[in-house]
Amino acid sequence: MTTISKTDLTENKTVTKKDLNKVFLRSFTLEASFNFERMQALGYVFSMIPVIKKLYTTKEDISAALKRHLEFFNTTPHVSTFAMGISSALEEKNANDQNFDEASINSIKLGLMGPLGGVGDAFFWGTLKAIAAGVGASIALQGNILGAILFYLIFNIPHVLVRYYGTMSGYRLGTTFVERLQESGLLDNITYGASILGMTVIGAMTATMVTFTTPLQIGEGDGAVTIQSMLDSIAPSLLPLLFTLFMYYLLKKGVKITYLLVGIVAFGIIGKLIGIV
């Protein structure tokens, strides 16, 4: 766990509405630097910079906070500000309390991205976008430019409102939430539970987003048995799991993500040509 100095505790540092407005505006860039290593992490830390610079004064503290929010993060962009608001409240508590467990900041954030993504995807991509497209397309088919305008308005007005009020409500909830948890002693349990939930989400993503199968078989004719069916009988998605763990091992050994991506592409092409994947 990274330890920050938090040396300047002479005055209480508070996140203002102005700071949260900056977070809200920066949140629109969440996916501008999307990458397949940490997804929305760069956009998330960029959004948090106004709060981090407001709360911390030393280079060590600022560096630790930036690194903290460079951890993997991925959720529906429209509701991401709720997590940012809570993160802002937690960072505020961390900056003012020498005994605050900073590990809880990332644990709670990681635990939020799955539920937020489920609600956000269902509402914005599954419902609101379909409604906006239906209304806009019906008018556009009549040759009226109002169809395109209505499409953007119907979708983006709720989107912007949710993004803005998500920032503010997340901060308010986070402030009172953490205080009550610390008073009751439940913060450690919440942190532990959020970590488990986050790791469960990551595990589910491995099984659903990593595709790796092999056509190799043992025997010939009607008696042939595919290796893939044998592996599936032991544990479904075993190959994707092993492949992911191998990539994780290489990352821990310091292999650059660029080399891994090129290697995966080369392995996929060569493996397909020789018939092993």
Side-chain angles (χ1 to χ4, degrees), residues 81-91 108 112 167 169-171 173-174:
T81 53
F82 184 76
M84 293 176 187
I86 290 182
S87 292
S88 299
L90 295 174
E91 290 290 357
I108 292 175
L112 282 172
T167 311
S169 62
Y171 172 74
L173 174 63

Side-chain angles (χ1 to χ4, degrees), residues 121-136:
D121 284 353
F123 178 73
F124 284 100
W125 297 135
T127 304
L128 186 60
K129 188 176 182 180
I131 294 173
V135 173

Side-chain angles (χ1 to χ4, degrees), residues 20 44 48 69 80-92 104-105 108-109 112 116 166-175 177-178:
L20 293 174
Y44 198 98
M48 291 293 298
H69 292 291
S80 61
T81 53
F82 184 76
M84 293 176 187
I86 290 182
S87 292
S88 299
L90 295 174
E91 290 290 357
E92 180 182 283
S104 64
I105 299 174
I108 292 175
K109 183 178 78 174
L112 282 172
L116 285 176
T167 311
M168 305 304 166
S169 62
Y171 172 74
R172 288 194 297 269
L173 174 63
T175 303
F177 182 65
V178 172

Side-chain angles (χ1 to χ4, degrees), residues 4-277:
I4 64 177
S5 58
K6 292 184 276 189
T7 52
D8 185 12
L9 296 173
T10 56
E11 62 175 301
N12 190 59
K13 305 179 184 68
T14 305
V15 175
T16 64
K17 188 174 181 179
K18 183 178 179 181
D19 300 322
L20 293 174
N21 283 334
K22 292 178 180 178
V23 173
F24 158 69
L25 292 174
R26 283 175 173 239
S27 72
F28 287 94
T29 67
L30 184 66
E31 294 191 296
S33 56
F34 186 93
N35 64 81
F36 288 101
E37 181 181 3
R38 301 190 183 187
M39 299 293 184
Q40 300 165 343
L42 288 174
Y44 198 98
V45 74
F46 177 74
S47 302
M48 291 293 298
I49 285 175
V51 168
I52 291 171
K53 287 188 174 181
K54 175 67 176 291
L55 296 173
Y56 304 110
T57 56
T58 68
K59 182 179 179 180
E60 293 77 12
D61 290 349
I62 293 173
S63 176
L66 292 173
K67 289 179 180 178
R68 193 158 46 240
H69 292 291
L70 278 173
E71 295 296 325
F72 177 92
F73 186 81
N74 187 46
T75 194
T76 310
H78 317 79
V79 295
S80 61
T81 53
F82 184 76
M84 293 176 187
I86 290 182
S87 292
S88 299
L90 295 174
E91 290 290 357
E92 180 182 283
K93 188 67 176 176
N94 184 53
N96 293 301
D97 185 352
Q98 186 73 42
N99 298 316
F100 185 79
D101 181 12
E102 62 202 34
S104 64
I105 299 174
N106 262 346
S107 296
I108 292 175
K109 183 178 78 174
L110 192 63
L112 282 172
M113 70 179 188
L116 285 176
V119 173
D121 284 353
F123 178 73
F124 284 100
W125 297 135
T127 304
L128 186 60
K129 188 176 182 180
I131 294 173
V135 173
S138 63
I139 297 175
L141 286 173
Q142 302 173 18
N144 194 332
I145 194 174
L146 185 61
I149 297 173
L150 279 177
F151 169 75
Y152 284 107
L153 290 178
I154 293 173
F155 184 81
N156 284 298
I157 288 177
H159 155 220
V160 173
L161 290 175
V162 168
R163 194 182 281 263
Y164 175 78
Y165 286 107
T167 311
M168 305 304 166
S169 62
Y171 172 74
R172 288 194 297 269
L173 174 63
T175 303
T176 56
F177 182 65
V178 172
E179 289 176 353
R180 290 175 182 174
L181 287 179
Q182 283 195 314
E183 291 173 359
S184 64
L186 289 174
L187 184 59
D188 290 340
N189 292 334
I190 294 294
T191 301
Y192 180 67
S195 299
I196 294 175
L197 177 61
M199 293 301 101
T200 302
V201 171
I202 298 298
M205 289 174 64
T206 299
T208 56
M209 299 180 68
V210 180
T211 302
F212 185 10
T213 59
T214 177
L216 295 176
Q217 61 182 31
I218 300 174
E220 297 180 357
D222 296 335
V225 178
T226 63
I227 294 178
Q228 184 64 52
S229 63
M230 295 174 60
L231 293 173
D232 288 340
S233 65
I234 298 172
S237 300
L238 181 59
L239 281 180
L241 174 62
L242 295 176
F243 187 77
T244 302
L245 291 176
F246 179 62
M247 292 297 107
Y248 178 74
Y249 169 78
L250 294 178
L251 282 172
K252 297 295 285 184
K253 287 294 183 180
V255 180
K256 293 183 178 180
I257 187 65
T258 305
Y259 297 158
L260 292 180
L261 289 173
V262 173
I264 290 171
V265 172
F267 174 74
I269 294 174
I270 295 173
K272 181 66 174 179
L273 290 174
I274 63 179
I276 63 172
V277 296

